[in-house]
Every structure is written in C-alpha cells, then in structure tokens.
Short mmCIF file of all heavy atoms in Angstrom, two decimals:
data_model
loop_
_atom_site.label_atom_id
_atom_site.label_comp_id
_atom_site.label_asym_id
_atom_site.label_seq_id
_atom_site.Cartn_x
_atom_site.Cartn_y
_atom_site.Cartn_z
N GLY A 18 112.19 31.88 70.35
CA GLY A 18 111.46 31.05 71.31
C GLY A 18 112.21 29.81 71.72
O GLY A 18 111.66 28.73 71.88
N GLN A 19 113.55 29.98 71.94
CA GLN A 19 114.39 28.82 72.29
C GLN A 19 114.75 28.79 73.78
O GLN A 19 115.74 28.22 74.15
CB GLN A 19 115.64 28.86 71.42
CG GLN A 19 115.38 28.71 69.96
CD GLN A 19 116.67 28.76 69.12
OE1 GLN A 19 117.75 29.04 69.69
NE2 GLN A 19 116.58 28.51 67.84
N THR A 20 113.94 29.43 74.63
CA THR A 20 114.28 29.46 76.02
C THR A 20 113.41 28.53 76.82
O THR A 20 113.57 28.44 78.04
CB THR A 20 114.13 30.90 76.60
OG1 THR A 20 112.73 31.28 76.47
CG2 THR A 20 114.97 31.89 75.86
N GLY A 21 112.49 27.80 76.22
CA GLY A 21 111.57 27.00 76.97
C GLY A 21 111.85 25.52 76.82
O GLY A 21 110.93 24.67 76.87
N LYS A 22 113.12 25.12 76.62
CA LYS A 22 113.46 23.72 76.50
C LYS A 22 113.28 22.95 77.80
O LYS A 22 113.16 21.74 77.79
CB LYS A 22 114.89 23.57 76.00
CG LYS A 22 115.12 24.13 74.60
CD LYS A 22 116.54 23.98 74.17
CE LYS A 22 116.76 24.53 72.73
NZ LYS A 22 118.18 24.43 72.31
N ALA A 23 113.27 23.65 78.91
CA ALA A 23 113.03 23.04 80.22
C ALA A 23 112.27 24.01 81.04
O ALA A 23 112.26 25.24 80.81
CB ALA A 23 114.33 22.64 80.86
N THR A 24 111.61 23.51 82.11
CA THR A 24 110.77 24.31 82.99
C THR A 24 110.97 23.87 84.44
O THR A 24 110.97 22.62 84.67
CB THR A 24 109.32 24.21 82.60
OG1 THR A 24 109.16 24.58 81.23
CG2 THR A 24 108.44 25.14 83.44
N LEU A 25 111.09 24.81 85.36
CA LEU A 25 111.16 24.44 86.78
C LEU A 25 109.74 24.33 87.32
O LEU A 25 108.97 25.29 87.31
CB LEU A 25 111.92 25.51 87.57
CG LEU A 25 112.19 25.14 89.02
CD1 LEU A 25 113.21 24.00 89.13
CD2 LEU A 25 112.70 26.34 89.82
N HIS A 26 109.36 23.15 87.78
CA HIS A 26 108.02 22.86 88.27
C HIS A 26 107.99 23.00 89.79
O HIS A 26 108.90 22.49 90.47
CB HIS A 26 107.57 21.48 87.83
CG HIS A 26 107.23 21.39 86.41
ND1 HIS A 26 105.94 21.18 85.92
CD2 HIS A 26 107.99 21.48 85.31
CE1 HIS A 26 105.94 21.16 84.60
NE2 HIS A 26 107.18 21.29 84.20
N LEU A 27 106.96 23.66 90.28
CA LEU A 27 106.73 23.81 91.74
C LEU A 27 105.60 22.94 92.22
O LEU A 27 104.76 22.47 91.42
CB LEU A 27 106.49 25.27 92.11
CG LEU A 27 107.54 26.31 91.63
CD1 LEU A 27 107.18 27.67 92.21
CD2 LEU A 27 108.95 25.88 92.02
N THR A 28 105.52 22.75 93.52
CA THR A 28 104.43 21.95 94.14
C THR A 28 103.24 22.86 94.43
O THR A 28 102.15 22.35 94.75
CB THR A 28 104.91 21.35 95.44
OG1 THR A 28 105.27 22.37 96.36
CG2 THR A 28 106.10 20.42 95.23
N LEU A 29 103.41 24.20 94.34
CA LEU A 29 102.34 25.12 94.68
C LEU A 29 101.22 25.11 93.64
O LEU A 29 101.42 24.82 92.47
CB LEU A 29 102.92 26.54 94.76
CG LEU A 29 104.02 26.71 95.83
CD1 LEU A 29 104.73 28.05 95.66
CD2 LEU A 29 103.42 26.59 97.22
N ASP A 30 100.00 25.43 94.10
CA ASP A 30 98.82 25.45 93.29
C ASP A 30 98.28 26.89 93.23
O ASP A 30 97.86 27.40 94.27
CB ASP A 30 97.78 24.50 93.86
CG ASP A 30 96.58 24.32 92.94
OD1 ASP A 30 96.12 25.29 92.33
OD2 ASP A 30 96.07 23.18 92.83
N SER A 31 98.28 27.48 92.03
CA SER A 31 97.84 28.89 91.92
C SER A 31 96.41 29.06 92.38
O SER A 31 96.10 30.14 92.95
CB SER A 31 97.97 29.36 90.49
OG SER A 31 99.32 29.38 90.05
N ARG A 32 95.57 28.11 92.16
CA ARG A 32 94.16 28.23 92.53
C ARG A 32 94.02 28.32 94.05
O ARG A 32 93.33 29.23 94.58
CB ARG A 32 93.35 27.08 92.01
CG ARG A 32 93.41 26.88 90.49
CD ARG A 32 92.88 25.52 90.07
NE ARG A 32 93.67 24.40 90.65
CZ ARG A 32 93.36 23.15 90.52
NH1 ARG A 32 92.29 22.79 89.80
NH2 ARG A 32 94.12 22.20 91.08
N LEU A 33 94.69 27.45 94.77
CA LEU A 33 94.63 27.47 96.22
C LEU A 33 95.38 28.67 96.80
O LEU A 33 94.95 29.27 97.81
CB LEU A 33 95.16 26.16 96.77
CG LEU A 33 94.96 25.92 98.27
CD1 LEU A 33 93.46 25.75 98.55
CD2 LEU A 33 95.68 24.67 98.73
N GLN A 34 96.47 29.00 96.14
CA GLN A 34 97.25 30.17 96.57
C GLN A 34 96.44 31.42 96.49
O GLN A 34 96.46 32.25 97.47
CB GLN A 34 98.49 30.31 95.73
CG GLN A 34 99.40 31.51 96.08
CD GLN A 34 100.30 31.24 97.19
OE1 GLN A 34 100.37 30.13 97.75
NE2 GLN A 34 101.09 32.23 97.62
N ARG A 35 95.63 31.57 95.48
CA ARG A 35 94.83 32.80 95.33
C ARG A 35 93.75 32.86 96.42
O ARG A 35 93.47 33.92 96.96
CB ARG A 35 94.21 32.89 93.94
CG ARG A 35 93.63 34.24 93.63
CD ARG A 35 93.26 34.35 92.12
NE ARG A 35 94.42 34.16 91.28
CZ ARG A 35 95.29 35.13 91.02
NH1 ARG A 35 95.16 36.32 91.61
NH2 ARG A 35 96.31 34.90 90.21
N VAL A 36 93.13 31.72 96.69
CA VAL A 36 92.15 31.69 97.77
C VAL A 36 92.74 32.09 99.10
O VAL A 36 92.21 32.92 99.88
CB VAL A 36 91.49 30.28 97.87
CG1 VAL A 36 90.62 30.16 99.11
CG2 VAL A 36 90.68 29.94 96.63
N ALA A 37 93.95 31.52 99.36
CA ALA A 37 94.63 31.81 100.63
C ALA A 37 95.04 33.28 100.71
O ALA A 37 94.89 33.94 101.75
CB ALA A 37 95.82 30.89 100.80
N GLN A 38 95.60 33.78 99.60
CA GLN A 38 96.13 35.20 99.62
C GLN A 38 94.94 36.17 99.79
O GLN A 38 95.08 37.13 100.59
CB GLN A 38 96.85 35.46 98.32
CG GLN A 38 97.59 36.78 98.30
CD GLN A 38 98.80 36.80 99.25
OE1 GLN A 38 99.52 35.80 99.30
NE2 GLN A 38 99.01 37.89 99.89
N ASN A 39 93.85 35.95 99.11
CA ASN A 39 92.73 36.86 99.23
C ASN A 39 92.15 36.84 100.62
O ASN A 39 91.81 37.87 101.22
CB ASN A 39 91.66 36.51 98.21
CG ASN A 39 92.08 36.83 96.78
OD1 ASN A 39 93.01 37.62 96.55
ND2 ASN A 39 91.42 36.26 95.82
N ALA A 40 91.97 35.63 101.19
CA ALA A 40 91.42 35.54 102.52
C ALA A 40 92.34 36.17 103.56
O ALA A 40 91.88 36.86 104.50
CB ALA A 40 91.18 34.03 102.88
N LEU A 41 93.65 35.96 103.39
CA LEU A 41 94.61 36.53 104.34
C LEU A 41 94.61 38.02 104.29
O LEU A 41 94.56 38.72 105.34
CB LEU A 41 95.99 36.00 104.02
CG LEU A 41 97.18 36.54 104.86
CD1 LEU A 41 96.99 36.19 106.31
CD2 LEU A 41 98.52 36.01 104.35
N GLU A 42 94.62 38.60 103.10
CA GLU A 42 94.66 40.05 102.97
C GLU A 42 93.37 40.68 103.50
O GLU A 42 93.40 41.78 104.10
CB GLU A 42 94.90 40.45 101.53
CG GLU A 42 96.33 40.14 101.04
CD GLU A 42 96.55 40.52 99.60
OE1 GLU A 42 95.63 41.01 98.92
OE2 GLU A 42 97.71 40.36 99.13
#
C-alpha cells in the first residue's frame, strides 16, 4: 500500500457529473 503517498486532485464533481451524464444520455 505504498502507492498513495500523493494524489492528483481534479476540479470535477462526481455528483454533478453523474446528473449531467444521465440527463445527456
């Protein structure tokens, strides 16, 4: 478990992304 010393953080929000993806599809 030594691969999580750092994490790339994004500005995206999974909650809003799911709403948008479902509505779009």
Side-chain angles (χ1 to χ4, degrees):
Q19 297 178 354
T20 63
K22 295 180 180 179
T24 305
L25 187 69
H26 287 249
L27 305 186
T28 63
L29 300 168
D30 189 319
S31 296
R32 302 167 300 176
L33 192 64
Q34 179 82 3
R35 193 169 300 281
V36 171
Q38 190 70 40
N39 291 341
L41 177 62
E42 291 180 356

